[in-house]
Amino acid sequence: REHEIRIPSHLTGSLLAVAFLTSFGSSMLYGYNLAVVNSPAVYIKDFYNKTMVRRNGAGLSGETLTLMYSLTVSVFAIGGLLGSLIVGMLVSRFGRKGTVVNTTVLVFIAGSLMGFSRICGSPEMIIFGRFITGIHSGISLSVVPMYLGEIAPKNLRGFLGLVPSIFIGTGVFAAQILGLQELLGKEEHWPLFLSVVVVPTFIQLILLPWFPESPRYLLIEKHNVHATITALKWYRAKCNIQAEIEEMQEEQRSLCSVETLSVWKLLQDDTVRWQVLSVVVINIGMQLSGIDAIWFYTNDIFENAGVPVPEIQYTTAGTGIIEIIAGLIGCFTIEKLGRRPLMIGGFTIMGICSIGITLTLIIQAQISFMRYLSVCCVVGIIAGFCIGPAGVPFLVTAELFKQSHRSAAYIIGGSLNWLSNFTVGFVFPFLQMSAGAYCYLVFAFICLSVAIYVYVVIPETKNKTFMEISRMFSKKEAVLETQGLMHVDQLKLKKMNGYGGMEHASLEFDSSSSVP
């Protein structure tokens, strides 16, 4: 049976269509909403000020206006945190595809609020609309990789799992292009610019319901064998469907006495502590790598490099093309290289380039060509991020856990991701004021530390079933337990206080090694 499970499966039109539809209508909106407020910032602030003059007869002070605009930007992350916290409940109730389809209503509500905010003279509608788009993005960032990871055969899980990250980069690029003065960058167009997100979601809503739910969800959580076979036939061309169902049933049997875990129970489960720690490290590292700070200050760095001010918006848009190209490189090499090399390589490139930015910013006053090296370092950080750290952590979160643990793992990973996102946005300006150019060394340290952690702790999950990955971590746990217990027992013997110690230790080892 082991040989049968390893029969390669091929990429079908159905798999590709679902990956593109879910990413186009959900993941792309995350990237778009990250960048959409940059271009019309002046117009939105002007609208806030004029509205307050009309309401109160007096405009806002500079500090209050900055606070309102900062709230407009950061409330997106607060919504994302809320979305990531409720995703577990949604995927259990509605399924993976069902959650993607049902949450499209949030985009239509948010788009309507932001689109009609100027007509209604309501800044609150923009802020609340941004909050709701954040909730949708928080849900999407977890459920789309989960859905694609479960419908994909194991030899295509990496490829399909990175499709959302390509569309996140595409969303950023779309916001940069549409924000140009020649398109929607004019003052009269900013409400349309904010609300255009409804278009890709509408296309998704029309087409996605025709595709089946995740086969793993249908079999393991809904116990519907007939629907599972139908879904597998829809998503597979040349594969042994019976072998796939047997692999799922093996996982189902291992979970027959285990209910879907809550976040609290997952954190208390010693058998998966290394998986949980790995999800914590890579999700925090993904945001604390400094990528958001780089995106936010790209214009400043380009201005310092001597790029003419009118051309900066086009140069920034050029970095969006780098994001898409780097994402495609990651997507098409992940099944050949594996998850580890893309994460280790991506974080290492980002760490080296962060050190490079520090050096170039310090030296550029004396050596003029260093300014151009700082631009290269910015491009290097963006490329390094999009090759691996942008998408692989979401994919790995799906692969490190069995079905009963997966929803809670995504809640942990997603909430830490958004909290870190908010922290960087809030802390970075103060960090830059206090540390100057040296602030990028903080990001360099974090990136290189995460790269080392991945190299030492996380095994390669390429072409492995979910059960095989679980066993790989169980072996690591057993080895660490054995080493720890031998050390403890030696200490107890030295203290002449080892009565019953060895017996207790062997029981602990048995309980940890009995996990499949």
Side-chain angles (χ1 to χ4, degrees):
R1 203 182 86 217
E2 197 69 32
H3 173 71
E4 287 181 334
I5 293 174
R6 293 185 184 280
I7 292 175
S9 301
H10 299 277
L11 182 63
T12 62
S14 299
L15 280 172
L16 204 56
V18 167
F20 273 71
L21 267 178
T22 51
S23 302
F24 176 68
S26 296
S27 304
M28 191 171 78
L29 272 55
Y30 168 68
Y32 186 87
N33 283 308
L34 276 178
V36 73
V37 288
N38 293 333
S39 174
V42 175
Y43 307 136
I44 293 172
K45 287 178 182 178
D46 186 52
F47 167 65
Y48 287 177
N49 202 42
K50 286 179 179 175
T51 303
M52 291 305 154
V53 169
R54 196 164 53 248
R55 286 182 186 177
N56 307 322
L60 296 168
S61 66
E63 293 81 5
T64 308
L65 191 58
T66 302
L67 182 64
M68 274 191 72
Y69 183 72
S70 297
L71 180 62
T72 306
V73 174
S74 60
V75 77
F76 177 69
I78 298 170
L81 175 60
L82 177 60
S84 67
L85 291 173
I86 62 172
V87 74
M89 176 187 70
L90 294 174
V91 294
S92 295
R93 181 172 180 181
F94 299 113
R96 281 61 168 149
K97 184 202 77 174
T99 299
V100 175
V101 172
N102 288 327
T103 53
T104 54
V105 67
L106 296 171
V107 180
F108 295 117
I109 292 170
S112 301
L113 286 168
M114 294 186 291
F116 292 107
S117 58
R118 184 168 61 185
I119 294 172
C120 299
S122 173
E124 295 84 1
M125 288 172 67
I126 298 177
I127 295 170
F128 193 53
R130 287 278 296 170
F131 176 69
I132 294 175
T133 57
I135 295 174
H136 179 263
S137 290
I139 295 167
S140 299
L141 275 186
S142 293
V143 76
V144 171
M146 189 190 303
Y147 179 39
L148 296 181
E150 290 185 10
I151 66 171
K154 64 184 178 182
N155 65 315
L156 291 174
R157 242 180 6 235
F159 173 80
L160 290 181
L162 286 195
V163 171
S165 68
I166 294 173
F167 275 87
I168 290 170
T170 306
V172 172
F173 182 59
Q176 291 167 339
I177 294 297
L178 290 176
L180 297 176
Q181 286 292 320
E182 294 83 351
L183 297 172
L184 299 181
K186 297 185 178 71
E187 183 172 8
E188 60 267 27
H189 294 322
W190 66 259
L192 176 62
F193 186 34
L194 294 178
S195 60
V196 78
V197 289
V198 300
V199 176
T201 306
F202 181 68
I203 295 170
Q204 182 194 72
L205 183 60
I206 292 173
L207 299 176
L208 189 60
W210 297 97
F211 290 86
E213 181 56 82
S214 156
R216 303 189 80 83
Y217 171 79
L218 291 170
L219 182 69
I220 296 174
E221 296 190 34
K222 291 299 179 183
H223 311 290
N224 191 334
V225 179
H226 176 72
T228 304
I229 294 170
T230 304
L232 283 172
K233 285 180 178 176
W234 185 285
Y235 288 128
R236 303 286 186 268
K238 297 176 181 178
C239 83
N240 188 331
I241 288 178
Q242 182 60 35
E244 282 214 45
I245 288 178
E246 284 181 17
E247 185 261 311
M248 290 183 210
Q249 286 175 331
E250 182 188 355
E251 183 175 345
Q252 187 181 30
R253 281 192 295 273
S254 75
L255 302 174
C256 62
S257 60
V258 181
E259 59 183 13
T260 301
L261 266 67
S262 65
V263 172
W264 181 242
K265 285 183 179 177
L266 180 64
L267 292 172
Q268 290 179 310
D269 190 346
D270 287 340
T271 62
V272 291
R273 59 183 169 184
W274 282 104
Q275 289 99 310
V276 172
L277 182 60
S278 298
V279 165
V280 169
V281 169
I282 60 178
N283 277 281
I284 289 179
M286 176 184 172
Q287 292 297 341
L288 297 189
S289 64
I291 185 65
D292 290 326
I294 291 295
W295 273 331
F296 191 74
Y297 284 92
T298 301
N299 288 7
D300 289 347
I301 294 171
F302 287 159
E303 191 175 342
N304 290 336
V307 178
V309 174
E311 295 176 17
I312 286 177
Q313 60 177 338
Y314 303 103
T315 310
T316 302
T319 63
I321 299 173
I322 300 294
E323 292 167 33
I324 296 171
I325 293 171
L328 287 169
I329 290 171
C331 190
F332 285 103
T333 59
I334 188 168
E335 292 301 354
K336 186 174 183 180
L337 298 176
R339 283 68 163 145
R340 277 164 45 88
L342 290 185
M343 278 202 290
I344 294 167
F347 278 116
T348 302
I349 290 169
M350 293 179 77
I352 292 169
C353 289
S354 294
I355 295 171
I357 282 187
T358 302
L359 295 175
T360 54
L361 288 176
I362 292 168
I363 302 172
Q364 71 181 18
Q366 289 79 32
I367 307 173
S368 59
F369 75 84
M370 281 293 172
R371 295 177 174 183
Y372 304 102
L373 280 180
S374 68
V375 174
C376 293
C377 287
V378 169
V379 172
I381 288 173
I382 292 171
F385 180 74
C386 293
I387 283 173
V392 178
F394 296 111
L395 168 65
V396 169
T397 301
E399 292 185 328
L400 295 187
F401 294 91
K402 293 181 287 189
Q403 196 84 5
S404 59
H405 297 60
R406 199 169 293 135
S407 297
Y410 266 106
I411 292 172
I412 292 171
S415 57
L416 288 172
N417 199 301
W418 284 101
L419 275 172
S420 303
N421 183 318
F422 182 78
T423 302
V424 169
F426 187 77
V427 171
F428 181 71
F430 302 102
L431 184 64
Q432 194 183 43
M433 280 190 289
S434 59
Y438 295 100
C439 67
Y440 294 99
L441 292 179
V442 176
F443 301 132
F445 174 77
I446 291 168
C447 289
L448 295 174
S449 298
V450 175
I452 292 167
Y453 178 89
V454 174
Y455 179 78
V456 173
V457 175
I458 300 181
E460 181 53 66
T461 55
K462 180 182 73 170
N463 273 344
K464 300 285 194 303
T465 67
F466 292 114
M467 288 300 292
E468 287 169 344
I469 295 165
S470 179
R471 289 191 194 106
M472 286 162 66
F473 267 100
S474 293
K475 287 175 184 176
K476 180 188 288 288
E477 185 74 29
V479 169
L480 290 167
E481 283 282 340
T482 307
Q483 292 172 346
L485 291 166
M486 285 172 63
H487 180 65
V488 168
D489 289 330
Q490 286 168 357
L491 285 175
K492 286 179 178 178
L493 286 168
K494 283 180 183 178
K495 292 180 180 179
M496 300 299 290
N497 189 24
Y499 180 76
M502 185 61 76
E503 184 182 7
H504 177 64
S506 63
L507 284 171
E508 284 187 336
F509 174 73
D510 288 342
S511 66
S512 66
S513 60
S514 66
V515 179

